[in-house]
Amino acid sequence: MDDHTPPRTYETPPTTRPIDEAEAAREAGLAHNEHIKIASGFLRGTLADGLLKHATGAISEDDGQLVKFHGMYLQDDRDLRPERTKKKLDKAYSFMIRLRIAGGVVTPRQWLVLDDIATTYANGTLRATTRQTFQYHGVIKSNLKRTMAAIDGALLDTIAACGDVNRNVMASTNPAQSGAHKAAFELGKEISDTLLPKTNAWREIWLDGEKVLGGEPEFEPVYGKTYLPRKFKIVVAVPPSNEVDVFAHDLGFIAILDKKGKVTGWNVTVGGGMGMTHGEPDTFPRTADVMLFCKPEEAVKVAEAVMTVQRDWGNRKNRKNARLKYTIERYGLAAFRAEVEKRVGKALSDPKPFTFTNNGDRYGWTEGDDGRHHLTLYVASGRIKDYEGDGPKLLAGLRRIAEVHEGDFRLTGNQNVIIANVPAEKRAEIEALVDEYGLLKGAGALRRNSIACVAMPTCGLALAESERYLPDLMTELEESLASHGLQDDEITIRMTGCPNGCARPFIAEIGFVGRGPERYHLYLGAAFDGSRLGKLYAEDVNASEIRTILDPLFGAYAAGKTPGERFGDFLIRAGYVTKTFNGPDFHKNIGALKGAA
């Protein structure tokens, strides 16, 4: 914790494994999801039967929780709700399907299969997420098994992309450091494979796999019957770029490099997380603590130890207080580290020095230290589609590139796509296709540092627009920035439709979090490298007021910044907003400290 945090009295951690028997769970007052998991038969529930019920496009409420473990969310088109309600029709149900792609790397062949799935079974778009994977929207229930079979045919899957498990593991994509990137990718892949649920339910339900006979099998030696208390997210970062936002996740590994750029070990971070609930100050986002250093050969064991401590110590009565960030707040970092070291079987070293300079992507062409070429494309909100008029034809263009590309594709944590590992002799051919389909259009400085969640119309949690609104807002703010000579300044801006924070708005220099239709909380003062949370500057801001509020702050920044000073740092130094030190401090001293002239 930060030095500004007062001394704390911590609770005594539990010493037993989680309750996994139905009667004991009822007596202990565990959350409803715990009962669902206990009764599910290792994530089966009644999903197989529910798929055969054609009278509705939905599934049962309990199965709606279980299907998340299989990589899916039941959704409906909220734009259509009023009309369908008026006609007494069922909601326009469909499923969002998220893939598990550790490190975000796919082959050209896999890209072509994923493209075909998008146009055959989904809504004609691929969406690159903030967790370095793809998701589909608009898949109807009758097409779920066909979609899963096609994904399996590409040697990919959706297991554990959602749910109370370790989700898709992110890894640094910085192509300039090819050796370190390779180490980061390999660590992410090994962690993903090691912590994957062992149940056969996914293949059994979606691919008509062979059922296991002879009673309920014990499939989960690491997870147990009840898996984790809540979702668990792991990332691997390689300084100086923090494009995976290591401080925003439950568990992180930061590469420590020698003078030749080789990974000598990993700093381990714990306890980051973005989600909170409006009006409930005991929920808050939190930046991760840098806990210890481990050698390369110890990293996977450390990852399993951290996750199993959270399995045993996490809150299973209140899901709003169940993430690892709250576990560490409750029991303390020292006790948590001691238990991790106990499970690893040895004492580990203290963290090593490191420096991050940003949490954005490197756009355009980059040559790696292995002589391969890499092109990072800006993808607005990660939505890979063909825009009308003179907009980029992303879906068609990347399809054509996949047909001739000899390297691979990499997704970034900022929703962008890298055409990676292009041999020097193939670069001109790739460039010609990029030009033909306009793939380098629409990427000014502000947009290059933007992220938005999906929100309306499909996310059931959204309170306000995000992906559909942020582009128009950025046009307004680009005009404002240009009027102050700031059009080329890199400023991070992120927007979410609700406080779950999927686009990580609380660590953006300008963060918007939906409160209701066309209303947002505005957060300012986060660090450009993603290491510090912002602070609530203005509540319930109407969309029409945003430019009016930010314009004078841009003016003050242009007039008063020091060389190299970032927007978030300036706002704190100049006294416009209070600095946030960590999670519990997030809700303190909120609001504008003074108005901009």
Side-chain angles (χ1 to χ4, degrees), residues 4 26 30 43 47 89 144 198 241 249 253 286 301 354 383 467 473 500 545:
H4 291 76
R26 280 191 289 272
L30 299 190
L43 309 182
L47 279 169
L89 295 172
L144 282 176
K198 302 300 187 286
S241 176
H249 294 91
F253 291 86
R286 187 181 190 275
K301 197 167 185 180
F354 65 94
R383 185 68 66 177
E467 179 185 345
L473 174 61
N500 281 332
E545 302 171 330

Side-chain angles (χ1 to χ4, degrees), residues 62-133:
D62 283 0
D63 282 347
Q65 294 299 317
L66 283 181
V67 83
K68 295 177 184 179
F69 290 81
H70 298 255
M72 283 172 267
Y73 279 80
L74 175 64
Q75 300 181 331
D76 75 284
D77 190 327
R78 294 171 64 177
D79 287 348
L80 301 178
R81 276 187 192 177
E83 184 66 21
R84 293 182 71 86
T85 300
K86 188 164 65 176
K87 294 180 177 178
K88 298 183 179 179
L89 295 172
D90 205 5
K91 292 177 181 177
Y93 288 113
S94 65
F95 288 80
M96 182 274 281
I97 298 177
R98 185 179 296 149
L99 280 76
R100 182 178 63 93
I101 309 174
V105 178
V106 295
T107 66
R109 178 189 170 275
Q110 288 173 324
W111 186 284
L112 291 171
V113 173
L114 296 173
D115 176 287
D116 185 61
I117 293 169
T119 53
T120 304
Y121 300 120
N123 65 353
T125 71
L126 269 171
R127 194 173 196 278
T129 78
T130 56
R131 289 205 52 74
Q132 210 176 26
T133 185

Side-chain angles (χ1 to χ4, degrees), residues 2-81:
D2 191 275
D3 291 339
H4 291 76
T5 303
R8 293 274 301 276
T9 300
Y10 295 107
E11 298 177 28
T12 302
T15 57
T16 58
R17 287 282 293 262
I19 295 169
D20 62 3
E21 296 299 329
E23 185 58 37
R26 280 191 289 272
E27 291 178 1
L30 299 190
H32 180 62
N33 287 55
E34 296 299 302
H35 301 283
I36 294 173
K37 288 181 281 187
I38 290 170
S40 73
F42 295 98
L43 309 182
R44 289 167 176 81
T46 59
L47 279 169
D49 292 335
L51 292 175
L52 300 176
K53 295 179 179 178
H54 302 301
T56 176
I59 53 178
S60 72
E61 188 173 337
D62 283 0
D63 282 347
Q65 294 299 317
L66 283 181
V67 83
K68 295 177 184 179
F69 290 81
H70 298 255
M72 283 172 267
Y73 279 80
L74 175 64
Q75 300 181 331
D76 75 284
D77 190 327
R78 294 171 64 177
D79 287 348
L80 301 178
R81 276 187 192 177

Side-chain angles (χ1 to χ4, degrees), residues 37 42-44 66 68-71 100 157-169 190-203 218-228 232 307:
K37 288 181 281 187
F42 295 98
L43 309 182
R44 289 167 176 81
L66 283 181
K68 295 177 184 179
F69 290 81
H70 298 255
R100 182 178 63 93
D157 61 58
T158 67
I159 305 166
C162 319
D164 299 343
V165 284
N166 173 50
R167 297 190 177 184
N168 195 57
V169 179
E190 188 176 359
I191 290 173
S192 179
D193 291 343
T194 301
L195 302 184
L196 189 67
K198 302 300 187 286
T199 176
N200 193 50
W202 190 85
R203 303 197 71 83
E218 176 53 59
F219 273 127
E220 304 292 6
V222 174
Y223 284 108
K225 283 185 182 180
T226 54
Y227 297 86
L228 299 180
F232 194 85
M307 193 188 78

